[in-house]
Structures are given as structure tokens and as C-alpha cells.
Amino acid sequence: MTKLLVLYYSRTGNTEKMAKAVAEGVRSVAGTEVEMNYYISVEELAGYDAMLVGVATYHHDMPVTFKSYFEEAAVKNVDLKGKPCAAFGSYGWSGEAPKLILEILKNKFEMNVREPPLSIKYTPDQTGLDKCFALGKRVAESLIPRA
Ligand SMILES: Cc1cc2nc3c(=O)[nH]c(=O)nc-3n(C[C@H](O)[C@H](O)[C@H](O)COP(=O)(O)O)c2cc1C
């Protein structure tokens, strides 16, 4: 069983809708377990095989609580090296947050970024949700060992 984490920050529910669709995509892959949460302790992060991070953009940035969360993980040397990760998030006009989080995951934690950030303007429509589902599925499938 591979274990994937969908960790997200959403104030008004748009990124949460995306997170649910991403988690469904992960769940669609046999042999995969998914946990969807808006908070787990930083030490627990190391217990997952891959991480999908959802974050909405506020004030051209990711929310400060989210930034300090990953700073705490870095200070505590949480080992995420080489694990696959991806980022997504809802936005209104500029949408920086998913890109910023990927930079942190890549540069501070040496995670394996395989996907460009998936950004959706305001509330995701069905096409957007399908893209979220596909993202979760792709990352989960990338963990299946090839015969
Ligand atoms: C106070 C405030 C500041 C915002 N700042 C930005 C911003 O700088 N860039 C942007 O793209 N969207 C911005 N937005 C729009 C949100 O990203 C958008 O509403 C998004 O759908 C919120 O996602 P959530 O429902 O997951 O919290 C802002 C919204 C609010 C209320």
C-alpha cells in the first residue's frame, strides 16, 4: 500500500473542492491509501510516500500559517527528499501560491516535482475537477512499481 497525503489550505472552500477531487483521483488507483487533511503535525509528513499540496492565493502569496508550517518542517529536518509532490490551488487574479509552495518543496525539501502547478480561477467547474482528479491519479500511478 502506498500512502499519499493531500494537504490543503482553503478559506472559502474552492481549494477544498479541488482537494476532494485530487483525493478521489488518488483513491481510484488500486493499492493506494489517501489522507486528506488541512493540518497534520510536521513530523507526520515523513510518513507519506507522496504529497499533494493545495493552497489558495491571498495577497499575492500563500497564507502565512502555511508558510510557517513548512518553515517549521524545515527547521525540524523533516525528511521528504526524493518523494513525488504536486501543488494546486484556487485563485482570483494572480495565483502565485501553488508555484511558491512547489519552490519550497523542491528547494528546501528536495522533493521530486513532476507536474506544473494546477491553478483554477475561483470555484472549479466540472472540467477543473476532472483536471484535479487526473492530477491525483497521475501522482498515485507514478508510485506503482513497474514490472
Ligand atoms: C482578501 C483577499 C485577498 C486575495 N488576494 C488574491 C491575490 O493576491 N491573488 C489572487 O489570485 N487571488 C486573490 N484572492 C482570491 C482568492 O484566491 C480566491 O477567492 C480563491 O478562490 C480562494 O480560494 P479558497 O476558497 O480555497 O480560499 C484574494 C481573496 C481575498 C478575499
Side-chain angles (χ1 to χ4, degrees), residues 103-122:
E103 278 169 16
I104 290 175
L105 297 178
K106 187 177 170 201
N107 299 329
K108 276 199 178 160
F109 295 96
E110 296 179 58
M111 292 192 83
N112 181 0
V113 179
R114 294 192 195 162
E115 300 267 349
L118 173 59
S119 301
I120 290 178
K121 204 164 183 174
Y122 293 114

Side-chain angles (χ1 to χ4, degrees), residues 34-99:
V34 62
E35 167 155 351
M36 185 179 142
N37 214 323
Y38 53 83
Y39 182 80
I40 64 166
S41 74
V42 294
E43 288 83 2
E44 286 175 280
L45 289 175
Y48 294 89
D49 301 302
M51 194 155 74
L52 291 134
V53 182
V55 59
T57 298
Y58 285 94
H59 307 291
H60 295 273
D61 208 339
M62 73 179 88
V64 71
T65 48
F66 220 63
K67 200 181 279 182
S68 51
Y69 177 81
F70 283 100
E71 271 160 18
E72 185 193 341
V75 167
K76 291 186 173 168
N77 286 319
V78 175
D79 185 10
L80 304 172
K81 196 171 173 175
K83 292 184 178 181
C85 69
F88 58 92
S90 173
Y91 72 103
W93 47 92
S94 55
E96 290 90 341
K99 189 172 168 276

